[in-house]
Amino acid sequence: MYPEERQQAIASLVISRGRASVAELAETYAVTTETVRRDLAVLDRAGVVQRVHGGAVPTRALHVIEPGVNERESTRSGHKDAIARVAADFFPYAGASVLFDAGTTTARVAALLPTDRDLTVVTNSVPIAARAATVPTANLQLLGGRVRGLTQAAVGEQVLRVLDTLRIDVAFIGTNGITIRHGLSTPDGEEAAVKRSMVRSANYVVVVADSTKVGQEEFVSFAPIDSVDVLITDSEITEADRAAFTARGVEVVLAGQVRP
């Protein structure tokens, strides 16, 4: 296979899968990892793919266009339900505090709030707050501010001021993208500011994100990968990505996998 043919094949594979690692591409096309890196450099300069740590993603993966709640609610819903069921094992003990970031996956986790223990529940999400308000054992603290219609999340200085005064036991955080290089990221600056403050306020950070978010780098980074204690995702994450996160001290838990 000529280099041009291989590069075209690599570009097609990356675009169809949403991401590919250097190691996978080297094995697929029977070339060295250095050859793959050179191919990716060519494709990156041509604007066909975007090089990221350990591989490449389509250039469309780096964007500032944010899908709304309704669109995200119907996307990979089965994966999100499975992730939420695993995340329920991370609810803290009675009398502790738990924070829910706005998002469709975090909303599924919040739907599983336990009723056998009293918890202080903090959120900036209008839908999550509405659901938590019906749980008799939840002491709901709704973070107030300007509500973005797109995500139904409160943002702004009022939210940030309150978060600055809190210390949360466990925070469930959603993200539009997650990589080693760019950390956790999202398209909107105001959402990023709130998420950043949430991560800083938490003693224990649990990120809930399906595997399509892995390798994505959105416009604004709100937390480094080292700030994450646990990533709960689905089994479609590549072994290379899982190993990379684990090497940085992140516990990666797969939906459907029983924790030891």
Side-chain angles (χ1 to χ4, degrees), residues 5 31 44 57 63 65 82 92 147 155 164 179 191 217 231 236:
E5 293 175 311
V31 293
D44 186 285
V57 298
H63 56 75
I65 300 173
V147 176
V155 296
D164 264 350
T179 66
E191 293 262 10
E217 293 185 335
L231 168 63
E236 292 175 21

Side-chain angles (χ1 to χ4, degrees), residues 16 41 51 63-65 71 76 97-98 103 130 132 139 147 149 152 156-157 188 192 197 204 231 234 239:
S16 65
R51 294 176 70 190
H63 56 75
V64 295
I65 300 173
E71 180 183 346
R76 293 175 70 83
S97 57
V98 58
N139 173 23
V147 176
Q152 299 176 32
E157 286 300 321
D188 183 76
S197 188
Y204 197 76
L231 168 63
D234 58 71
E239 189 56 43

Side-chain angles (χ1 to χ4, degrees), residues 3-103:
E4 293 81 4
E5 293 175 311
R6 185 177 60 248
Q7 289 159 14
Q8 183 175 0
I10 287 174
S12 296
L13 188 148
V14 171
I15 291 169
S16 65
R17 289 189 181 177
R19 90 163 268 121
S21 71
V22 169
E24 289 173 321
L25 292 170
E27 182 177 353
T28 299
Y29 299 105
V31 293
T32 67
T33 55
E34 287 305 313
T35 297
V36 170
R37 290 189 179 93
R38 287 195 294 270
D39 288 341
L40 293 180
V42 171
L43 294 169
D44 186 285
R45 288 193 297 270
V48 177
V49 303
Q50 168 71 47
R51 294 176 70 190
V52 296
H53 181 82
V57 298
T59 51
R60 58 177 167 79
L62 277 167
H63 56 75
V64 295
I65 300 173
E66 188 175 8
V69 171
N70 290 338
E71 180 183 346
R72 289 185 288 120
E73 182 65 38
S74 60
T75 303
R76 293 175 70 83
S77 57
H79 294 77
K80 293 175 181 179
D81 288 338
I83 289 168
R85 288 192 293 270
V86 174
D89 289 340
F90 290 83
F91 282 121
Y93 49 84
S97 57
V98 58
L99 180 147
F100 294 102
D101 177 23

